Amino acid sequence: MTQTAQSTSADESLPKRWSSKAVTFKGFDSPEDIAYAAGFFDGEGHCNTRIQKANNGKEYTIIHVSIGQNTPEVLEWFISFWGGNLYTYKTKGAHQWTIVGTRATAFLNQILPYCKVKTAQIQETMLAHQENRKSAPRRGLQ
């Protein structure tokens, strides 16, 4: 089963779609998978916007999502569904799953209805990203 990322928002004031790109994920075994991911993110995750610099020197804003854990198994499960990178900090014995950009936006849209603790953090991150996109200079307009 293949599932296309759809924006579902717990707050109707948020835009219905955060990205113009469609992102397709591996199918889920059950609807509980998204609820599990949301609960795990509520306890161990973080999201924010970051400014990146392109090769041409222009800056742009992206959404960044990460979850830290002492063992990599559950983070590998996240990678199997949403992709991303797994970083291992050998000196700390910790692991971190990270996704950015369109995948991060789609992930947050999917878990938002199920989050209990970090709903405000997700909404603030997405609104900040949307505002930065609106205020950024458009190609060809000066």
Short mmCIF file of all heavy atoms in Angstrom, two decimals, residues 2-72:
data_model
loop_
_atom_site.label_atom_id
_atom_site.label_comp_id
_atom_site.label_asym_id
_atom_site.label_seq_id
_atom_site.Cartn_x
_atom_site.Cartn_y
_atom_site.Cartn_z
N THR A 2 0.59 2.18 -0.84
CA THR A 2 1.33 3.44 -0.88
C THR A 2 0.42 4.56 -0.43
O THR A 2 -0.73 4.62 -0.82
CB THR A 2 1.82 3.73 -2.31
OG1 THR A 2 2.65 2.64 -2.71
CG2 THR A 2 2.61 5.00 -2.36
N GLN A 3 0.96 5.42 0.40
CA GLN A 3 0.18 6.53 0.92
C GLN A 3 0.85 7.83 0.51
O GLN A 3 2.04 7.99 0.68
CB GLN A 3 0.10 6.44 2.43
CG GLN A 3 -0.71 7.54 3.04
CD GLN A 3 -0.99 7.26 4.49
OE1 GLN A 3 -0.79 6.17 4.97
NE2 GLN A 3 -1.46 8.26 5.18
N THR A 4 0.07 8.74 -0.03
CA THR A 4 0.60 10.05 -0.39
C THR A 4 0.39 10.99 0.78
O THR A 4 -0.65 10.95 1.41
CB THR A 4 -0.12 10.60 -1.64
OG1 THR A 4 0.07 9.68 -2.70
CG2 THR A 4 0.45 11.94 -2.03
N ALA A 5 1.40 11.78 1.06
CA ALA A 5 1.31 12.71 2.18
C ALA A 5 0.21 13.72 1.92
O ALA A 5 0.17 14.35 0.89
CB ALA A 5 2.64 13.44 2.36
N GLN A 6 -0.71 13.80 2.85
CA GLN A 6 -1.78 14.77 2.75
C GLN A 6 -1.71 15.66 3.96
O GLN A 6 -1.38 15.21 5.04
CB GLN A 6 -3.12 14.07 2.72
CG GLN A 6 -3.30 13.19 1.51
CD GLN A 6 -4.61 12.44 1.56
OE1 GLN A 6 -5.37 12.57 2.49
NE2 GLN A 6 -4.87 11.65 0.54
N SER A 7 -2.00 16.92 3.78
CA SER A 7 -1.98 17.79 4.93
C SER A 7 -3.30 17.68 5.67
O SER A 7 -4.34 17.86 5.11
CB SER A 7 -1.70 19.22 4.55
OG SER A 7 -2.12 19.52 3.30
N THR A 8 -3.16 17.32 6.92
CA THR A 8 -4.30 17.32 7.81
C THR A 8 -3.91 18.23 8.95
O THR A 8 -2.89 18.04 9.55
CB THR A 8 -4.60 15.92 8.34
OG1 THR A 8 -3.51 15.09 8.07
CG2 THR A 8 -5.85 15.36 7.82
N SER A 9 -4.71 19.18 9.21
CA SER A 9 -4.35 20.17 10.22
C SER A 9 -5.36 20.17 11.35
O SER A 9 -6.55 20.12 11.13
CB SER A 9 -4.32 21.55 9.56
OG SER A 9 -4.12 22.53 10.53
N ALA A 10 -4.84 20.22 12.58
CA ALA A 10 -5.70 20.31 13.75
C ALA A 10 -6.23 21.73 13.90
O ALA A 10 -7.18 21.96 14.61
CB ALA A 10 -4.93 19.89 14.99
N ASP A 11 -5.63 22.67 13.21
CA ASP A 11 -6.04 24.08 13.31
C ASP A 11 -6.44 24.54 11.91
O ASP A 11 -5.64 24.58 11.01
CB ASP A 11 -4.87 24.91 13.84
CG ASP A 11 -5.22 26.38 14.01
OD1 ASP A 11 -6.30 26.79 13.57
OD2 ASP A 11 -4.39 27.09 14.57
N GLU A 12 -7.69 24.91 11.75
CA GLU A 12 -8.19 25.30 10.44
C GLU A 12 -7.56 26.59 9.92
O GLU A 12 -7.67 26.90 8.75
CB GLU A 12 -9.72 25.44 10.47
CG GLU A 12 -10.42 24.11 10.67
CD GLU A 12 -10.08 23.09 9.60
OE1 GLU A 12 -10.01 23.45 8.41
OE2 GLU A 12 -9.88 21.92 9.96
N SER A 13 -6.90 27.38 10.79
CA SER A 13 -6.27 28.61 10.33
C SER A 13 -4.97 28.34 9.57
O SER A 13 -4.44 29.21 8.90
CB SER A 13 -5.98 29.54 11.51
OG SER A 13 -5.00 28.98 12.35
N LEU A 14 -4.45 27.13 9.68
CA LEU A 14 -3.23 26.78 8.96
C LEU A 14 -3.56 26.48 7.50
O LEU A 14 -4.63 25.95 7.21
CB LEU A 14 -2.58 25.54 9.58
CG LEU A 14 -2.04 25.71 10.98
CD1 LEU A 14 -1.57 24.36 11.52
CD2 LEU A 14 -0.90 26.70 11.01
N PRO A 15 -2.66 26.78 6.59
CA PRO A 15 -2.90 26.44 5.18
C PRO A 15 -3.09 24.94 5.02
O PRO A 15 -2.50 24.15 5.74
CB PRO A 15 -1.61 26.90 4.48
CG PRO A 15 -1.04 27.94 5.39
CD PRO A 15 -1.41 27.51 6.77
N LYS A 16 -3.91 24.55 4.06
CA LYS A 16 -4.20 23.13 3.84
C LYS A 16 -3.00 22.38 3.29
O LYS A 16 -2.85 21.20 3.52
CB LYS A 16 -5.38 22.97 2.88
CG LYS A 16 -6.67 23.48 3.44
CD LYS A 16 -7.17 22.57 4.52
CE LYS A 16 -8.50 23.05 5.02
NZ LYS A 16 -8.87 22.45 6.27
N ARG A 17 -2.16 23.04 2.53
CA ARG A 17 -1.02 22.35 1.93
C ARG A 17 0.21 23.22 2.14
O ARG A 17 0.23 24.39 1.82
CB ARG A 17 -1.28 22.14 0.44
CG ARG A 17 -0.23 21.31 -0.21
CD ARG A 17 -0.69 20.89 -1.60
NE ARG A 17 0.37 20.14 -2.22
CZ ARG A 17 0.42 18.83 -2.20
NH1 ARG A 17 -0.51 18.14 -1.62
NH2 ARG A 17 1.41 18.21 -2.80
N TRP A 18 1.26 22.61 2.67
CA TRP A 18 2.47 23.35 3.00
C TRP A 18 3.52 23.28 1.92
O TRP A 18 4.46 24.01 1.92
CB TRP A 18 3.05 22.82 4.31
CG TRP A 18 2.17 23.14 5.45
CD1 TRP A 18 1.26 22.32 6.05
CD2 TRP A 18 2.08 24.37 6.14
NE1 TRP A 18 0.61 22.95 7.06
CE2 TRP A 18 1.11 24.23 7.14
CE3 TRP A 18 2.72 25.59 6.02
CZ2 TRP A 18 0.78 25.24 8.00
CZ3 TRP A 18 2.39 26.60 6.90
CH2 TRP A 18 1.43 26.42 7.86
N SER A 19 3.39 22.36 1.02
CA SER A 19 4.41 22.18 0.01
C SER A 19 3.76 21.91 -1.34
O SER A 19 2.73 21.28 -1.41
CB SER A 19 5.31 21.00 0.39
OG SER A 19 6.21 20.74 -0.65
N SER A 20 4.41 22.38 -2.38
CA SER A 20 3.87 22.14 -3.71
C SER A 20 4.31 20.79 -4.26
O SER A 20 3.83 20.35 -5.28
CB SER A 20 4.32 23.26 -4.66
OG SER A 20 5.73 23.29 -4.71
N LYS A 21 5.23 20.13 -3.57
CA LYS A 21 5.72 18.84 -4.03
C LYS A 21 4.96 17.71 -3.34
O LYS A 21 4.75 17.74 -2.14
CB LYS A 21 7.20 18.68 -3.71
CG LYS A 21 8.09 19.66 -4.44
CD LYS A 21 9.53 19.43 -4.06
CE LYS A 21 10.43 20.44 -4.73
NZ LYS A 21 11.82 20.28 -4.33
N ALA A 22 4.57 16.71 -4.10
CA ALA A 22 3.94 15.53 -3.51
C ALA A 22 5.04 14.58 -3.05
O ALA A 22 6.02 14.36 -3.75
CB ALA A 22 3.05 14.84 -4.52
N VAL A 23 4.88 14.05 -1.87
CA VAL A 23 5.86 13.12 -1.32
C VAL A 23 5.15 11.81 -1.06
O VAL A 23 4.12 11.78 -0.39
CB VAL A 23 6.47 13.65 0.00
CG1 VAL A 23 7.47 12.67 0.56
CG2 VAL A 23 7.11 15.00 -0.23
N THR A 24 5.66 10.72 -1.59
CA THR A 24 5.05 9.42 -1.41
C THR A 24 5.88 8.63 -0.41
O THR A 24 7.09 8.57 -0.51
CB THR A 24 4.96 8.66 -2.74
OG1 THR A 24 4.23 9.47 -3.66
CG2 THR A 24 4.26 7.34 -2.58
N PHE A 25 5.19 8.02 0.55
CA PHE A 25 5.85 7.23 1.57
C PHE A 25 5.49 5.77 1.41
O PHE A 25 4.51 5.41 0.79
CB PHE A 25 5.40 7.69 2.97
CG PHE A 25 5.70 9.12 3.24
CD1 PHE A 25 4.69 10.05 3.33
CD2 PHE A 25 7.01 9.55 3.39
CE1 PHE A 25 4.98 11.38 3.59
CE2 PHE A 25 7.29 10.87 3.64
CZ PHE A 25 6.28 11.78 3.74
N LYS A 26 6.27 4.93 2.06
CA LYS A 26 5.96 3.52 2.16
C LYS A 26 4.61 3.38 2.85
O LYS A 26 4.26 4.17 3.69
CB LYS A 26 7.06 2.85 2.99
CG LYS A 26 6.84 1.41 3.30
CD LYS A 26 7.97 0.91 4.16
CE LYS A 26 7.66 -0.49 4.65
NZ LYS A 26 8.68 -0.98 5.55
N GLY A 27 3.87 2.34 2.51
CA GLY A 27 2.57 2.14 3.14
C GLY A 27 2.70 1.81 4.62
O GLY A 27 3.70 1.25 5.06
N PHE A 28 1.68 2.14 5.37
CA PHE A 28 1.67 1.86 6.80
C PHE A 28 0.94 0.55 7.06
O PHE A 28 -0.01 0.22 6.37
CB PHE A 28 0.96 3.00 7.55
CG PHE A 28 1.69 4.30 7.45
CD1 PHE A 28 1.29 5.27 6.56
CD2 PHE A 28 2.80 4.54 8.23
CE1 PHE A 28 1.96 6.47 6.45
CE2 PHE A 28 3.49 5.73 8.13
CZ PHE A 28 3.08 6.69 7.24
N ASP A 29 1.40 -0.17 8.07
CA ASP A 29 0.73 -1.41 8.45
C ASP A 29 -0.64 -1.12 9.06
O ASP A 29 -1.56 -1.90 8.91
CB ASP A 29 1.58 -2.19 9.46
CG ASP A 29 2.87 -2.69 8.81
OD1 ASP A 29 2.88 -2.92 7.59
OD2 ASP A 29 3.86 -2.85 9.54
N SER A 30 -0.76 0.00 9.77
CA SER A 30 -2.02 0.34 10.41
C SER A 30 -2.07 1.85 10.67
O SER A 30 -1.02 2.50 10.71
CB SER A 30 -2.15 -0.42 11.73
OG SER A 30 -1.18 0.05 12.64
N PRO A 31 -3.25 2.40 10.88
CA PRO A 31 -3.35 3.83 11.21
C PRO A 31 -2.64 4.16 12.52
O PRO A 31 -2.26 5.30 12.76
CB PRO A 31 -4.85 4.08 11.33
CG PRO A 31 -5.51 2.94 10.66
CD PRO A 31 -4.56 1.79 10.74
N GLU A 32 -2.46 3.16 13.35
CA GLU A 32 -1.79 3.37 14.64
C GLU A 32 -0.31 3.74 14.46
O GLU A 32 0.29 4.30 15.37
CB GLU A 32 -1.91 2.13 15.53
CG GLU A 32 -3.31 1.90 16.06
CD GLU A 32 -4.23 1.21 15.05
OE1 GLU A 32 -3.74 0.67 14.02
OE2 GLU A 32 -5.45 1.23 15.28
N ASP A 33 0.27 3.43 13.29
CA ASP A 33 1.67 3.78 13.05
C ASP A 33 1.89 5.29 13.13
O ASP A 33 2.88 5.76 13.70
CB ASP A 33 2.15 3.28 11.69
CG ASP A 33 2.38 1.78 11.67
OD1 ASP A 33 2.63 1.20 12.75
OD2 ASP A 33 2.33 1.20 10.58
N ILE A 34 0.98 6.06 12.54
CA ILE A 34 1.13 7.52 12.59
C ILE A 34 0.93 8.01 14.02
O ILE A 34 1.66 8.89 14.48
CB ILE A 34 0.15 8.21 11.62
CG1 ILE A 34 0.47 7.82 10.18
CG2 ILE A 34 0.22 9.72 11.77
CD1 ILE A 34 -0.50 8.31 9.16
N ALA A 35 -0.04 7.43 14.73
CA ALA A 35 -0.26 7.82 16.13
C ALA A 35 0.96 7.48 16.98
O ALA A 35 1.37 8.26 17.85
CB ALA A 35 -1.51 7.13 16.67
N TYR A 36 1.58 6.33 16.72
CA TYR A 36 2.80 5.95 17.45
C TYR A 36 3.92 6.95 17.16
O TYR A 36 4.62 7.40 18.07
CB TYR A 36 3.24 4.53 17.05
CG TYR A 36 4.55 4.13 17.66
CD1 TYR A 36 4.64 3.73 18.98
CD2 TYR A 36 5.73 4.18 16.91
CE1 TYR A 36 5.85 3.36 19.55
CE2 TYR A 36 6.95 3.82 17.46
CZ TYR A 36 7.00 3.41 18.78
OH TYR A 36 8.20 3.07 19.32
N ALA A 37 4.09 7.29 15.89
CA ALA A 37 5.12 8.26 15.50
C ALA A 37 4.87 9.61 16.17
O ALA A 37 5.81 10.26 16.64
CB ALA A 37 5.17 8.41 13.98
N ALA A 38 3.61 10.02 16.24
CA ALA A 38 3.27 11.29 16.88
C ALA A 38 3.60 11.25 18.37
O ALA A 38 4.17 12.20 18.92
CB ALA A 38 1.79 11.61 16.69
N GLY A 39 3.28 10.16 19.03
CA GLY A 39 3.59 10.03 20.45
C GLY A 39 5.08 10.02 20.71
O GLY A 39 5.57 10.64 21.67
N PHE A 40 5.82 9.34 19.84
CA PHE A 40 7.27 9.30 19.99
C PHE A 40 7.86 10.69 19.78
O PHE A 40 8.74 11.13 20.52
CB PHE A 40 7.86 8.30 19.00
CG PHE A 40 9.19 7.77 19.43
CD1 PHE A 40 9.28 6.67 20.26
CD2 PHE A 40 10.36 8.38 19.01
CE1 PHE A 40 10.51 6.19 20.68
CE2 PHE A 40 11.58 7.91 19.41
CZ PHE A 40 11.67 6.81 20.25
N PHE A 41 7.36 11.39 18.76
CA PHE A 41 7.82 12.76 18.50
C PHE A 41 7.48 13.67 19.69
O PHE A 41 8.29 14.49 20.09
CB PHE A 41 7.20 13.30 17.22
CG PHE A 41 7.61 14.72 16.91
CD1 PHE A 41 8.81 14.98 16.29
CD2 PHE A 41 6.80 15.78 17.28
CE1 PHE A 41 9.21 16.30 16.02
CE2 PHE A 41 7.18 17.09 17.02
CZ PHE A 41 8.39 17.34 16.39
N ASP A 42 6.28 13.52 20.25
CA ASP A 42 5.89 14.32 21.42
C ASP A 42 6.90 14.18 22.55
O ASP A 42 7.21 15.14 23.23
CB ASP A 42 4.51 13.88 21.94
CG ASP A 42 3.37 14.71 21.39
OD1 ASP A 42 3.62 15.77 20.80
OD2 ASP A 42 2.22 14.28 21.57
N GLY A 43 7.43 12.98 22.74
CA GLY A 43 8.35 12.75 23.84
C GLY A 43 9.81 13.03 23.54
O GLY A 43 10.56 13.49 24.39
N GLU A 44 10.23 12.76 22.32
CA GLU A 44 11.67 12.79 22.00
C GLU A 44 12.05 13.71 20.86
O GLU A 44 13.23 13.86 20.55
CB GLU A 44 12.15 11.37 21.65
CG GLU A 44 11.87 10.32 22.69
CD GLU A 44 12.62 10.54 23.99
OE1 GLU A 44 13.68 11.19 23.97
OE2 GLU A 44 12.14 10.07 25.03
N GLY A 45 11.07 14.33 20.19
CA GLY A 45 11.36 15.07 18.96
C GLY A 45 11.41 16.57 19.12
O GLY A 45 11.10 17.13 20.17
N HIS A 46 11.82 17.20 18.03
CA HIS A 46 11.92 18.65 17.96
C HIS A 46 11.79 19.09 16.51
O HIS A 46 12.24 18.39 15.60
CB HIS A 46 13.28 19.11 18.51
CG HIS A 46 13.48 20.57 18.43
ND1 HIS A 46 12.88 21.45 19.30
CD2 HIS A 46 14.20 21.34 17.57
CE1 HIS A 46 13.23 22.68 18.98
NE2 HIS A 46 14.03 22.65 17.94
N CYS A 47 11.16 20.24 16.29
CA CYS A 47 11.10 20.80 14.94
C CYS A 47 11.35 22.29 15.01
O CYS A 47 11.06 22.94 16.02
CB CYS A 47 9.77 20.50 14.26
SG CYS A 47 8.32 21.22 15.04
N ASN A 48 11.91 22.83 13.94
CA ASN A 48 12.14 24.26 13.83
C ASN A 48 12.41 24.62 12.38
O ASN A 48 12.43 23.75 11.51
CB ASN A 48 13.31 24.71 14.73
CG ASN A 48 14.62 24.05 14.37
OD1 ASN A 48 14.77 23.46 13.31
ND2 ASN A 48 15.59 24.13 15.25
N THR A 49 12.56 25.91 12.13
CA THR A 49 12.98 26.34 10.80
C THR A 49 14.45 26.72 10.87
O THR A 49 14.94 27.17 11.91
CB THR A 49 12.16 27.55 10.31
OG1 THR A 49 12.28 28.61 11.25
CG2 THR A 49 10.71 27.19 10.11
N ARG A 50 15.14 26.49 9.78
CA ARG A 50 16.55 26.83 9.69
C ARG A 50 16.81 27.57 8.40
O ARG A 50 16.16 27.33 7.39
CB ARG A 50 17.42 25.57 9.73
CG ARG A 50 17.34 24.86 11.06
CD ARG A 50 18.36 23.79 11.16
NE ARG A 50 18.31 23.23 12.51
CZ ARG A 50 19.09 22.29 12.92
NH1 ARG A 50 20.01 21.77 12.11
NH2 ARG A 50 19.00 21.83 14.14
N ILE A 51 17.78 28.44 8.46
CA ILE A 51 18.17 29.17 7.26
C ILE A 51 19.34 28.43 6.61
O ILE A 51 20.33 28.12 7.27
CB ILE A 51 18.57 30.62 7.60
CG1 ILE A 51 17.34 31.36 8.14
CG2 ILE A 51 19.13 31.33 6.37
CD1 ILE A 51 17.63 32.75 8.64
N GLN A 52 19.20 28.12 5.34
CA GLN A 52 20.23 27.45 4.57
C GLN A 52 20.74 28.42 3.51
O GLN A 52 20.01 29.30 3.08
CB GLN A 52 19.68 26.19 3.88
CG GLN A 52 19.16 25.16 4.81
CD GLN A 52 20.26 24.36 5.48
OE1 GLN A 52 21.45 24.59 5.30
NE2 GLN A 52 19.85 23.41 6.29
N LYS A 53 21.96 28.21 3.09
CA LYS A 53 22.52 29.04 2.04
C LYS A 53 22.75 28.16 0.80
O LYS A 53 23.40 27.13 0.88
CB LYS A 53 23.84 29.67 2.48
CG LYS A 53 24.32 30.76 1.56
CD LYS A 53 25.52 31.47 2.14
CE LYS A 53 25.07 32.75 2.77
NZ LYS A 53 26.19 33.61 3.13
N ALA A 54 22.19 28.59 -0.31
CA ALA A 54 22.33 27.86 -1.57
C ALA A 54 23.71 28.13 -2.16
O ALA A 54 24.43 29.04 -1.74
CB ALA A 54 21.25 28.30 -2.55
N ASN A 55 24.09 27.32 -3.14
CA ASN A 55 25.38 27.50 -3.82
C ASN A 55 25.53 28.89 -4.44
O ASN A 55 26.63 29.40 -4.56
CB ASN A 55 25.58 26.43 -4.89
CG ASN A 55 25.80 25.06 -4.28
OD1 ASN A 55 26.18 24.94 -3.11
ND2 ASN A 55 25.53 24.03 -5.06
N ASN A 56 24.40 29.49 -4.82
CA ASN A 56 24.45 30.83 -5.42
C ASN A 56 24.52 31.93 -4.37
O ASN A 56 24.49 33.11 -4.70
CB ASN A 56 23.27 31.04 -6.36
CG ASN A 56 21.94 31.01 -5.62
OD1 ASN A 56 21.89 30.93 -4.39
ND2 ASN A 56 20.87 31.03 -6.38
N GLY A 57 24.58 31.55 -3.08
CA GLY A 57 24.71 32.52 -2.01
C GLY A 57 23.39 33.01 -1.42
O GLY A 57 23.38 33.68 -0.40
N LYS A 58 22.27 32.67 -2.06
CA LYS A 58 20.97 33.12 -1.55
C LYS A 58 20.55 32.24 -0.38
O LYS A 58 20.82 31.05 -0.35
CB LYS A 58 19.92 33.07 -2.65
CG LYS A 58 20.18 34.09 -3.73
CD LYS A 58 19.05 34.17 -4.70
CE LYS A 58 19.37 35.24 -5.73
NZ LYS A 58 18.26 35.47 -6.62
N GLU A 59 19.88 32.85 0.58
CA GLU A 59 19.41 32.13 1.74
C GLU A 59 17.95 31.73 1.55
O GLU A 59 17.18 32.43 0.91
CB GLU A 59 19.54 32.99 2.99
CG GLU A 59 20.98 33.26 3.37
CD GLU A 59 21.10 34.10 4.62
OE1 GLU A 59 20.11 34.72 5.05
OE2 GLU A 59 22.21 34.13 5.18
N TYR A 60 17.59 30.59 2.13
CA TYR A 60 16.21 30.13 2.12
C TYR A 60 15.94 29.41 3.42
O TYR A 60 16.85 28.98 4.12
CB TYR A 60 15.93 29.25 0.90
CG TYR A 60 16.78 28.00 0.83
CD1 TYR A 60 16.28 26.78 1.28
CD2 TYR A 60 18.07 28.03 0.31
CE1 TYR A 60 17.06 25.64 1.23
CE2 TYR A 60 18.84 26.89 0.25
CZ TYR A 60 18.33 25.69 0.71
OH TYR A 60 19.09 24.56 0.66
N THR A 61 14.67 29.29 3.77
CA THR A 61 14.26 28.68 5.02
C THR A 61 13.72 27.29 4.77
O THR A 61 12.93 27.09 3.84
CB THR A 61 13.18 29.54 5.70
OG1 THR A 61 13.68 30.86 5.84
CG2 THR A 61 12.80 28.99 7.05
N ILE A 62 14.12 26.33 5.61
CA ILE A 62 13.60 24.97 5.51
C ILE A 62 13.10 24.52 6.88
O ILE A 62 13.51 25.06 7.91
CB ILE A 62 14.65 23.96 5.00
CG1 ILE A 62 15.84 23.89 5.96
CG2 ILE A 62 15.08 24.27 3.59
CD1 ILE A 62 16.74 22.71 5.71
N ILE A 63 12.23 23.53 6.88
CA ILE A 63 11.79 22.92 8.12
C ILE A 63 12.73 21.77 8.45
O ILE A 63 13.10 20.98 7.58
CB ILE A 63 10.33 22.44 8.02
CG1 ILE A 63 9.40 23.65 7.94
CG2 ILE A 63 9.96 21.55 9.20
CD1 ILE A 63 7.94 23.32 7.84
N HIS A 64 13.11 21.68 9.71
CA HIS A 64 14.04 20.66 10.21
C HIS A 64 13.34 19.90 11.33
O HIS A 64 12.80 20.49 12.25
CB HIS A 64 15.30 21.36 10.72
CG HIS A 64 16.31 20.44 11.29
ND1 HIS A 64 16.35 20.10 12.61
CD2 HIS A 64 17.33 19.78 10.69
CE1 HIS A 64 17.36 19.27 12.83
NE2 HIS A 64 17.96 19.06 11.68
N VAL A 65 13.35 18.56 11.25
CA VAL A 65 12.76 17.70 12.27
C VAL A 65 13.82 16.73 12.74
O VAL A 65 14.57 16.17 11.92
CB VAL A 65 11.55 16.90 11.71
CG1 VAL A 65 11.07 15.86 12.71
CG2 VAL A 65 10.42 17.83 11.33
N SER A 66 13.92 16.52 14.05
CA SER A 66 14.86 15.53 14.56
C SER A 66 14.27 14.84 15.78
O SER A 66 13.45 15.40 16.51
CB SER A 66 16.21 16.17 14.91
OG SER A 66 16.05 17.08 15.97
N ILE A 67 14.70 13.59 15.97
CA ILE A 67 14.33 12.79 17.13
C ILE A 67 15.60 12.10 17.63
O ILE A 67 16.31 11.47 16.83
CB ILE A 67 13.26 11.73 16.80
CG1 ILE A 67 11.97 12.39 16.33
CG2 ILE A 67 13.00 10.83 18.02
CD1 ILE A 67 10.89 11.41 15.89
N GLY A 68 15.88 12.23 18.90
CA GLY A 68 17.05 11.60 19.49
C GLY A 68 16.67 10.38 20.30
O GLY A 68 15.57 10.32 20.87
N GLN A 69 17.59 9.41 20.36
CA GLN A 69 17.32 8.16 21.07
C GLN A 69 18.65 7.47 21.36
O GLN A 69 19.61 7.64 20.62
CB GLN A 69 16.43 7.26 20.20
CG GLN A 69 15.91 6.03 20.84
CD GLN A 69 14.91 6.32 21.95
OE1 GLN A 69 14.41 7.42 22.09
NE2 GLN A 69 14.64 5.33 22.76
N ASN A 70 18.70 6.67 22.43
CA ASN A 70 19.93 5.95 22.77
C ASN A 70 20.15 4.71 21.92
O ASN A 70 21.28 4.25 21.78
CB ASN A 70 19.94 5.57 24.25
CG ASN A 70 20.14 6.77 25.13
OD1 ASN A 70 20.72 7.77 24.72
ND2 ASN A 70 19.63 6.71 26.35
N THR A 71 19.09 4.13 21.38
CA THR A 71 19.22 2.96 20.52
C THR A 71 18.66 3.30 19.14
O THR A 71 17.69 4.04 19.02
CB THR A 71 18.45 1.76 21.10
OG1 THR A 71 17.09 2.12 21.29
CG2 THR A 71 19.07 1.32 22.43
N PRO A 72 19.24 2.75 18.09
CA PRO A 72 18.85 3.16 16.73
C PRO A 72 17.62 2.45 16.16
O PRO A 72 17.08 2.91 15.16
CB PRO A 72 20.08 2.82 15.90
CG PRO A 72 20.69 1.65 16.60
CD PRO A 72 20.44 1.90 18.07
#
